[in-house]
């Protein structure tokens, strides 16, 4: 996957004038879902630091019951506390994993920082075992740097 080719389109989606942030984020999720064949669920969770919970934002993919996730629970909740990327090659091997669907085999979560504060994350599920590489991490870090400009 050549992520460099996708970067200009990510920037274009997020810099579109006169479009609300939520609409831009949903369009970004759709773009990633459509252009990376092993991205089978793409969404954002945003942190409520006072209540130590994550709240589901725009996403594309199968519906999820996980609209609120406590910090520390599951992959997303762990990233809310660690402030570090978390790549899970095989979700079945994770003790602290919140199962969304039996079709999900792997997951990557990359925190979203605004002014040095973790305000949320991009979360991607795949139906493929171990598809995520360092290139995915660097690309999603770029995506989140672009998203951070909206806040």
């Amino acid at each position: 996957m050549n992520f460099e080719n996708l970067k200009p389109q990510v920037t274009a989606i997020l810099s579109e004038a006169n479009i609300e942030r939520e609409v831009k984020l949903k369009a970004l999720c759709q773009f990633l879902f459509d252009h990376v064949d092993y991205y089978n669920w793409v969404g954002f969770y945003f942190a409520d630091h006072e209540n130590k919970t994550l709240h589901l934002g725009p996403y594309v993919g199968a519906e999820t019951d996980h609209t609120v996730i406590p910090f520390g629970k599951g992959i997303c909740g762990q990233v809310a506390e660690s402030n570090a990327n978390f790549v899970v090659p095989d979700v079945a091997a994770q003790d602290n994993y919140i199962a969304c669907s039996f079709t999900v085999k792997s997951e990557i979560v990359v925190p979203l920082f605004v002014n040095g504060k973790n305000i949320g994350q991009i979360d991607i599920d795949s139906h493929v075992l171990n598809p995520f590489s360092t290139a995915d991490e660097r690309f999603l870090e770029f995506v989140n740097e672009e998203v951070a400009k909206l806040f």
Side-chain angles (χ1 to χ4, degrees), residues 4 16 21 33-34 38 49 51 53 64 79 84 86 91-92 94 104 107-108 120 146 150:
E4 290 303 313
E16 192 83 27
R21 178 172 59 207
F33 182 88
D34 290 343
Y38 53 92
H49 288 281
N51 294 306
T53 52
T64 179
V79 169
F86 199 160
V91 296
Q94 273 296 316
V104 175
E107 183 173 8
I108 184 171
E146 294 298 301
L150 301 177

Side-chain angles (χ1 to χ4, degrees), residues 72-90:
K73 186 159 175 60
I75 308 309
C76 291
Q78 290 176 75
V79 169
E81 291 184 331
S82 72
N83 297 320
N85 298 351
F86 199 160
V87 179
V88 181
D90 180 358

Side-chain angles (χ1 to χ4, degrees), residues 38-41 103-107 124-128 131-132:
Y38 53 92
Y39 285 13
N40 302 118
W41 191 96
T103 58
V104 175
K105 304 290 186 222
S106 56
E107 183 173 8
I124 299 177
D125 294 342
S126 180
H127 299 163
V128 179
F132 304 116

